[in-house]
Amino acid sequence: MMEEKNLVPENRAVITHSDEEHNDAATGDKRKLILATIQGEDRPGVTASLMEILAKRNAFILDIGQADIHNNLNLGILFETTEADSGDIFKDLLYRAYELDVAIRFNPISPENYTEWVNAQGKNRYIITVVARKITAEMLAALADEAAAQGLNIDNIRRLTGRIPLDEGQRSPNASIEFSMRGTPLNVEKLQEKLVDMSSQLNMDISFQRESMFRRMRRVICFDMDSTLIQTEVIDELAARNGVGDKVKAITERAMRGEIDFKESFTERVALLKGLDINVMEDIAENLPMTEGIERLMKVLKLMGYKIAILSGGFMYFGTYIQRKFGIDYVYANQLEVDENGKLTGHYIGEIVDSRRKAELLKLIAQVEKVDLMQTVAVGDGANDLLMLQTAGLGIAFHAKPKVKAEAEQSLSFVGLDGILYFLGYKDSHFDEMLAQSYIV
């Protein structure tokens, strides 16, 4: 056995010596805190084999973390043991690491250092999510540099999208990476401004969220319809059929930019629809251009138990059509008045679903579903959606107008609707297998 000990290559094991130790308060035994870091090819049984040795010596596990990158293991184990047992643990772990063909390194941790680490658990934690068509090193370098400048320390990085094939034709249309960070930003407003600039310059979407229990417990999500769930403004489609397309579109664009009051613009546009036969609505509905990623997003949200709502300044006929198509739970939109000949009168029925009404409806749905407002999500693109986005626990401006994007805390501009899933913290592996097996239809 002594000869076998000499076979351990020097570059496979490193021990950092230290006299730092502490006494057990109950027994008076001298105790040591050791951080063991293991690297090498990942395969079944590596962690179990190393843990078996620690178990035999009654080591106390204080912290453990493991990551697998391209089948390469990175394992860290922080354990406490007696001074008497530490030598045998080192020896046994070294031999087992040699047998497993992995590198192992030991570093002593002082009680003061450990206590400081424990106390740091109360620090603020943030999640930064990057979503893009393709993630580059330039994107991550810029993000990591800004985080460091703000005093944030990266605790963990994980890929949310699936493994990336070399053949670009086989790749997913989305790529996403999530950073878990600890600390208190020096200037949150400046950080968010930097992230917005970075997003625009590098063609990536960035979500900056405070980590909390609510982030993992979202239960209600409310969508605008026109230019969010569908890639058109339905009122523009109706106007085109009535020969007033240019007039209505000009008013719509001014309203979406926040240049005129929504109620005023809505009344003007509806008046221009007078005389249109309602039969054209069915044809428009059946040919609505759905936004990229909507099918996947809706299936996953239902899989995860979300209640889904459409809160639209558009029209009920089209909201109901989308509701039936995707199994949406709530629809609130505007109702057009129709005369006895099946023609639009140029008037509407009931209260207009404007910015204020959307925010009220979001609160009402949350109350009905018995969820906290922090558990709600809102998604929209226009000025009419801003109050709803600000009311929700998570508001996302989707392919939004500049004014909306500037005022919203989160925005998606470079990917489809299913990019929202990464802002919610989901990994592709969480649900893709279920979707592939058609658990949801």
Side-chain angles (χ1 to χ4, degrees):
M1 290 298 292
M2 291 299 292
E3 291 181 356
E4 186 179 350
K5 288 181 182 180
N6 294 329
L7 293 175
V8 181
E10 292 182 2
N11 65 340
R12 305 299 291 174
V14 179
I15 302 177
T16 304
H17 295 283
S18 174
D19 295 329
E20 293 174 327
E21 57 190 26
H22 67 288
N23 293 333
D24 186 280
T27 65
D29 292 341
K30 291 183 177 180
R31 310 286 293 179
K32 283 183 174 290
L33 305 180
I34 306 297
L35 174 62
T37 53
I38 300 96
Q39 294 180 311
E41 182 182 353
D42 192 18
R43 56 185 181 277
V46 174
T47 303
S49 183
L50 298 172
M51 279 296 174
E52 180 184 7
I53 292 171
L54 294 172
K56 287 180 179 179
R57 297 291 178 178
N58 296 316
F60 177 39
I61 305 300
L62 297 170
D63 193 23
I64 185 169
Q66 179 172 318
D68 180 274
I69 303 175
H70 195 61
N71 208 38
N72 280 270
L73 171 71
N74 291 272
L75 171 64
I77 307 170
L78 178 59
F79 63 91
E80 182 185 42
T81 186
T82 64
E83 182 182 31
D85 284 333
S86 62
D88 289 331
I89 288 178
F90 287 161
K91 178 189 68 175
D92 293 344
L93 286 177
L94 286 171
Y95 275 106
R96 189 59 55 85
Y98 175 64
E99 293 171 351
L100 296 169
D101 194 27
V102 296
I104 188 166
R105 181 185 182 92
F106 301 102
N107 286 297
I109 305 297
S110 71
E112 293 76 19
N113 181 280
Y114 180 76
T115 300
E116 182 181 350
W117 174 78
V118 170
N119 292 336
Q121 293 299 101
K123 285 189 176 181
N124 294 328
R125 300 185 68 85
Y126 295 90
I127 299 295
I128 296 182
T129 310
V130 179
V131 186
R133 296 298 183 182
K134 180 179 180 180
I135 292 179
T136 66
E138 183 182 14
M139 294 175 180
L140 301 187
L143 183 60
D145 184 61
E146 182 57 34
Q150 285 285 338
L152 294 174
N153 182 67
I154 300 173
D155 278 347
N156 186 42
I157 303 174
R158 65 173 185 156
R159 174 172 40 82
L160 299 182
T161 40
R163 295 178 179 178
I164 304 171
L166 292 177
D167 184 348
E168 292 194 20
Q170 298 178 4
R171 291 179 185 172
S172 165
N174 300 325
S176 181
I177 291 177
E178 179 185 275
F179 293 78
S180 176
M181 299 189 175
R182 173 170 38 85
T184 301
L186 299 177
N187 188 320
V188 173
E189 289 186 5
K190 182 177 179 181
L191 172 60
Q192 290 179 323
E193 289 175 3
K194 287 276 190 178
L195 294 180
V196 170
D197 291 342
M198 198 183 301
S199 171
S200 177
Q201 293 169 8
L202 298 177
N203 295 330
M204 62 175 174
D205 294 310
I206 307 172
S207 168
F208 178 74
Q209 300 179 56
R210 179 82 173 263
E211 177 67 294
S212 71
M213 66 176 183
F214 292 115
R215 181 176 171 271
R216 303 181 184 278
M217 297 173 62
R218 312 288 190 194
R219 289 295 176 266
V220 169
I221 185 165
C222 300
F223 293 93
D224 174 45
M225 179 174 65
D226 296 42
S227 297
T228 300
L229 294 179
I230 56 176
Q231 293 180 300
T232 188
E233 295 287 327
V234 170
I235 197 167
D236 293 345
E237 300 290 332
L238 292 170
R241 300 293 183 100
N242 208 35
V244 291
D246 290 342
K247 292 181 180 180
V248 167
K249 190 171 184 180
I251 299 172
T252 298
E253 290 177 349
R254 290 177 62 202
M256 295 302 288
R257 291 194 300 265
E259 296 175 3
I260 55 175
D261 176 74
F262 179 81
K263 284 188 177 181
E264 179 186 350
S265 69
F266 181 79
T267 302
E268 290 180 11
R269 288 177 290 171
V270 169
L272 291 169
L273 300 181
K274 183 178 180 179
L276 182 65
D277 195 304
I278 62 170
N279 289 330
V280 305
M281 297 173 76
E282 181 178 359
D283 180 58
I284 292 174
E286 290 178 351
N287 292 283
L288 287 174
M290 296 295 164
T291 300
E292 176 193 354
I294 186 173
E295 291 86 359
R296 184 170 185 251
L297 173 65
M298 292 299 173
K299 287 180 180 180
V300 171
L301 290 175
K302 295 191 74 64
L303 171 67
M304 298 302 178
Y306 275 77
K307 293 296 181 179
I308 307 170
I310 293 176
L311 307 182
S312 175
F315 302 118
M316 195 68 184
Y317 182 92
F318 303 98
T320 303
Y321 178 87
I322 296 174
Q323 179 184 34
R324 291 194 300 266
K325 185 177 181 67
F326 296 109
I328 290 169
D329 301 285
Y330 298 91
V331 177
Y332 292 92
N334 298 300
Q335 186 69 50
L336 292 170
E337 184 181 66
V338 182
D339 66 20
E340 64 275 9
N341 298 315
K343 306 285 187 180
L344 297 183
T345 66
H347 300 288
Y348 57 88
I349 302 171
E351 184 178 0
I352 293 177
V353 181
D354 60 1
S355 179
R356 177 190 58 80
R357 183 61 176 155
K358 286 187 178 187
E360 289 176 349
L361 289 168
L362 184 148
K363 293 177 183 177
L364 177 63
I365 294 170
Q367 184 178 3
V368 170
E369 295 297 336
K370 296 180 172 59
V371 302
D372 191 281
L373 272 177
M374 289 299 295
Q375 294 176 269
T376 65
V377 183
V379 184
D381 72 301
N384 190 40
D385 300 310
L386 261 176
L387 189 55
M388 176 178 72
L389 300 184
Q390 294 164 353
T391 301
L394 177 65
I396 302 173
F398 180 76
H399 290 230
K401 310 302 180 288
K403 174 182 172 63
V404 181
K405 188 174 179 180
E407 295 190 30
E409 290 190 358
Q410 318 291 340
S411 66
L412 274 174
S413 301
F414 300 102
V415 298
L417 271 173
D418 53 344
I420 292 169
L421 296 171
Y422 308 116
F423 280 15
L424 297 176
Y426 293 128
K427 293 185 66 175
D428 285 354
S429 58
H430 288 168
F431 42 76
D432 275 356
E433 183 178 352
M434 289 187 178
L435 294 181
Q437 293 179 10
S438 301
Y439 288 153
I440 303 177
V441 295

